[in-house]
């Protein structure tokens, strides 16, 4: 399979009229596009293409390199290598893509449904807390046993999700110790966890937050403040109950939602178990085009499989 290049196309209407290149229309005003090659042709797909659109192609003999082609054909700037290969994807690792259905990422439908049910349970428990404690800046440091219960349940689900993804990709632990944050933090970059921002829809004065933005490889437990609070209050309730705050509980529930989205995407259809999450949280995802899934699609041979799943190498 071919390595991908990500680039910013700078096609104008004048370029299209000059060359009668109406197939370039989807590259006009596109935020980014993708290019790859085989032994004879160069190919390009825009992030704006419809699901089943074929790639633009051109014979390699006309240009020296793939980069040379996209500079001439699309006036490409901001050219950088993709972190994925054309035609490859990883189960339980979602990136926004018009070309791969979210269903392809699900390896175990039962685990998928269980994750949705847990999210529903956690958000209902959180909303019950809000009937007593208003989620405002003044109350973020309020703590108590019911808040601790929510914090524990949410962090346990984050752990379960991390283990599930690592096992899916046959991750081999470096030690005989139990699973811990030294293992889980390896998912930070490949799943783009720091790219997610959440907000409480019904409480606009509650600050937006990024549950994983502060996670660091060299301090995998203590840098993740809500998880560190969970760890402390789990092992020593009497000394650490004050860390079971409303802020940490809300952020941990948000982390569960992020872990689900980073595995399977944000369900768009209505009347699903995930509706309670989208009605409670606004979910924003910073684009990560270097990790987009792009099919190996040509204009000549559409019979071959365009995607195949692979194991992520940690």
């Amino acid at each position: 399979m071919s390595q991908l290049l990500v680039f910013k196309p700078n096609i104008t209407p004048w370029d299209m009229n000059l060359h009668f290149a109406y197939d370039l229309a989807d590259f006009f005003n596109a935020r980014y596009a993708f290019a790859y090659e085989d032994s004879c042709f160069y190919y390009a797909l825009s992030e704006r293409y419809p699901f089943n659109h074929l790639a633009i192609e051109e014979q390699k003999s006309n240009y020296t390199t793939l980069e040379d082609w996209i500079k001439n054909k699309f006036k490409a700037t901001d050219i950088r290598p993709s972190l994925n290969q054309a035609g490859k994807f990883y189960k339980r690792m979602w990136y926004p893509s018009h070309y791969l259905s979210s269903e392809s990422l699900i390896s175990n439908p039962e685990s998928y449904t269980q994750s949705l049910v847990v999210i529903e349970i956690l958000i209902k428990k959180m909303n019950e807390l809000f009937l007593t404690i208003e989620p405002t800046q003044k109350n973020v440091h309020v703590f108590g046993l019911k808040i601790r219960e929510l914090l524990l349940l949410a962090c346990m689900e984050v752990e379960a999700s991390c283990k599930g993804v690592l096992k899916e990709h046959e991750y081999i632990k470096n030690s005989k110790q139990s699973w811990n944050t030294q293992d889980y933090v390896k998912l930070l970059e490949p799943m783009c966890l720091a790219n997610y921002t959440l907000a409480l829809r019904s409480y606009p004065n509650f600050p937006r937050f990024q549950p994983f933005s502060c996670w660091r490889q060299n301090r995998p437990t203590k840098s993740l403040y809500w998880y560190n609070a969970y760890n402390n209050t789990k092992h020593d309730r009497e000394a650490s109950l004050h860390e079971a705050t409303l802020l940490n509980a809300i952020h941990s529930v948000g982390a569960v939602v992020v872990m689900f989205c980073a595995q399977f995407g944000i369900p768009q259809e209505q009347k699903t178990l995930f509706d309670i999450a989208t009605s409670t949280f606004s979910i924003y995802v910073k684009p990560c085009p270097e990790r987009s899934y792009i099919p190996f699609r040509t204009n000549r041979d559409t019979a071959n499989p365009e995607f195949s799943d692979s194991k992520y190498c940690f």
Side-chain angles (χ1 to χ4, degrees), residues 15 29 32 45 52 77 80 102 111 115 118-119 173 191 197 217-218 224 229-230 238 248 253 282 284 293 297 303:
D15 295 315
N29 281 342
Y32 45 86
L45 285 165
N52 62 349
T77 57
R80 55 200 187 276
S102 296
S111 295
S115 296
V118 171
I119 286 174
K173 288 172 55 61
M191 297 185 73
T197 300
Q217 295 271 355
N218 60 342
L224 204 58
Y230 149 77
E238 292 185 3
N248 285 330
V253 174
S282 297
Y284 308 92
Y293 293 137
R297 178 174 289 174

Side-chain angles (χ1 to χ4, degrees), residues 17-208:
N17 291 333
L18 178 65
H19 302 292
F20 302 100
Y22 298 110
D23 55 349
L24 297 180
D26 280 301
F27 288 85
F28 177 57
N29 281 342
R31 296 172 298 172
Y32 45 86
F34 308 89
Y36 50 97
E37 62 184 296
D38 60 17
S39 58
C40 299
F41 290 87
Y42 295 130
Y43 306 97
L45 285 165
S46 166
E47 54 98 11
R48 299 177 61 200
Y49 269 154
F51 183 82
N52 62 349
H53 207 290
L54 298 176
I56 290 179
E57 67 177 36
E58 191 158 344
Q59 287 189 341
K60 296 177 72 171
S61 58
N62 297 332
Y63 297 90
T64 306
T65 64
L66 179 62
E67 185 170 335
D68 181 45
W69 177 61
I70 60 176
K71 284 181 177 178
N72 281 272
K73 185 81 171 181
F74 306 99
K75 297 183 177 180
T77 57
D78 192 21
I79 301 169
R80 55 200 187 276
S82 171
L83 296 171
N84 293 327
Q85 288 184 320
K88 292 288 186 181
F89 75 96
Y90 303 110
K91 287 187 180 294
R92 297 185 72 162
M93 289 186 180
W94 173 81
Y95 312 110
S97 173
H98 297 294
Y99 299 103
L100 183 71
S101 66
S102 296
E103 288 77 13
S104 301
L105 304 174
I106 301 171
S107 56
N108 186 330
E110 185 177 2
S111 295
Y112 173 83
T113 302
Q114 286 176 358
S115 296
L116 286 170
V117 172
V118 171
I119 286 174
E120 182 177 32
I121 292 170
L122 290 173
I123 290 180
K124 284 182 176 179
K125 285 182 174 293
M126 184 179 72
N127 286 330
E128 286 175 6
L129 279 177
F130 292 168
L131 296 176
T132 304
I133 308 170
E134 187 77 4
T136 65
Q137 193 66 42
K138 293 180 179 180
N139 293 333
V140 293
H141 298 301
V142 171
F143 64 90
L145 293 175
K146 290 297 290 184
I147 301 174
R148 176 179 180 266
E149 178 187 53
L150 180 60
L151 176 65
L152 295 179
L153 291 174
C155 290
M156 288 166 61
E157 179 61 18
V158 171
E159 291 176 334
S161 294
C162 289
K163 288 178 186 176
V165 178
L166 290 170
K167 289 179 179 179
E168 173 69 35
H169 294 282
E170 300 175 359
Y171 166 74
I172 299 175
K173 288 172 55 61
N174 293 326
S175 71
K176 294 183 180 180
Q177 294 180 347
S178 301
W179 294 87
N180 57 49
T181 53
Q182 292 183 351
D183 303 303
Y184 307 148
V185 74
K186 290 179 168 57
L187 297 173
L188 176 63
E189 291 186 7
M191 297 185 73
C192 298
L193 297 177
N195 288 27
Y196 288 81
T197 300
L198 303 181
L200 289 175
R201 286 188 180 275
S202 298
Y203 303 93
N205 292 328
F206 188 87
R208 292 187 177 191

